[in-house]
Amino acid sequence: MRLVVARCSVDYTGRLTAHLPLAPRLLIIKADGSVLVHSDGGSYKPLNWMSPPCTLSTSRRGDEEAAGDPEGEWIEQWDVIHDKSGDRLRVRLHEIFEDSSHELGIDPGLQKDGVEAHLQALLAENIDTLGEGWSLVRREYFTAIGPVDILARDENGGSVAIEIKRRGEIDGVEQLTRYLELLNRDPLLAPVRGIFAAQAIKPQARVLATDRGIDCVTLDYDALRGIDDAESRLF
């Protein structure tokens, strides 16, 4: 991972056009190819970013006859181009304050606690809740970008990746989409379909999941724990 603190300007062109005027910012280049632009505010979200797969190239001010930047001369330029969409993130560094690189290695993954961890354990123990003849392959099935909550087999023996959230939002659908893309490269598992499971799923997340061929399942925490018989309730 490379961390750069610099006074920079940023331009994004592609499906939309966005500009960040000259200001001090934190720039992160991750080992997976991601490039993120952060300010000192705005919580955890980057101001702009490019997700992999993408290609990054750098040039110095002296490599061109003129910078043509109305915000003044720059000393280094990053051009990050997405390999599939062609979207471009251009970062111009006018002054570099800090520049360091660190090898973080493979992350062991998030150790979940609380309701999501309980839901995962309960659904793994009661995998037939999803259908008769279903079987558990394993919990926390490892991938290069993190563990899938549950990998299971359906009644036909097909592979199913299940992502579990307390509250189902678009970010969770995006996360499962990335897992499915990797899992479907494995000939021993493919084809792998996805299930997005949560106690409550936002309508926008459900629409996105459906559009991507991902099934949505609403989990009843008490029913999985065996303290509520959903079939005996009037409502």
Side-chain angles (χ1 to χ4, degrees):
M1 178 181 291
R2 182 183 176 191
L3 305 175
V4 179
V5 180
R7 196 162 58 90
C8 63
S9 61
V10 183
D11 289 281
Y12 191 102
T13 55
R15 290 164 293 180
L16 54 83
T17 301
H19 175 69
L20 292 171
L22 194 61
R25 297 185 179 94
L26 169 64
L27 309 170
I28 301 175
I29 303 176
K30 298 174 67 176
D32 65 1
S34 305
V35 179
L36 304 98
V37 181
H38 283 275
S39 68
D40 207 12
S43 186
Y44 63 92
K45 291 185 178 180
L47 299 171
N48 215 324
W49 67 93
M50 183 69 77
S51 300
C54 57
T55 302
L56 184 149
S57 60
T58 63
S59 58
R60 302 288 293 181
R61 172 65 174 84
D63 293 343
E64 297 185 4
E65 295 181 359
D69 191 338
E71 292 172 309
E73 293 187 0
W74 45 269
I75 57 175
E76 185 175 333
Q77 176 174 291
W78 301 352
D79 280 305
V80 190
I81 300 176
H82 197 273
D83 295 346
K84 294 182 179 179
S85 67
D87 288 12
R88 178 192 298 268
L89 182 71
R90 171 168 286 177
V91 183
R92 283 180 169 171
L93 287 66
H94 293 248
E95 184 178 4
I96 298 176
F97 306 115
E98 297 285 346
D99 189 347
S100 61
S101 296
H102 308 272
E103 291 289 340
L104 302 185
I106 298 175
D107 193 89
L110 181 65
Q111 302 299 312
K112 299 182 180 180
D113 193 12
V115 174
E116 285 186 18
H118 292 158
L119 283 171
Q120 182 191 125
L122 288 167
L123 186 58
E125 293 171 3
N126 301 277
I127 197 67
D128 55 356
T129 301
L130 299 175
E132 186 177 350
W134 282 55
S135 61
L136 175 69
V137 175
R138 67 166 296 170
R139 293 173 54 191
E140 301 289 340
Y141 187 88
F142 181 78
T143 76
I145 58 173
V148 178
D149 287 335
I150 290 177
L151 184 67
R153 297 279 185 185
D154 62 20
E155 68 277 9
N156 298 315
S159 301
V160 185
I162 306 169
E163 182 63 26
I164 300 172
K165 299 293 183 186
R166 183 182 65 83
R167 184 175 181 84
E169 300 184 359
I170 285 178
D171 286 350
V173 179
E174 295 285 6
Q175 182 181 0
L176 179 54
T177 300
R178 293 191 294 271
Y179 288 148
L180 289 170
E181 183 178 351
L182 284 177
L183 292 170
N184 274 297
R185 297 177 189 174
D186 187 341
L188 297 178
L189 296 176
V192 184
R193 65 185 180 95
I195 289 181
F196 187 51
Q199 287 182 287
I201 301 176
K202 286 192 171 182
Q204 300 93 328
R206 191 179 292 275
V207 169
L208 180 61
T210 301
D211 182 67
R212 295 184 177 179
I214 295 171
D215 294 327
C216 292
V217 172
T218 302
L219 299 175
D220 188 320
Y221 186 47
D222 288 336
L224 285 172
R225 293 169 65 199
I227 63 174
D228 179 31
D229 184 359
E231 294 183 358
S232 299
R233 285 191 266 122
L234 294 176
F235 52 87

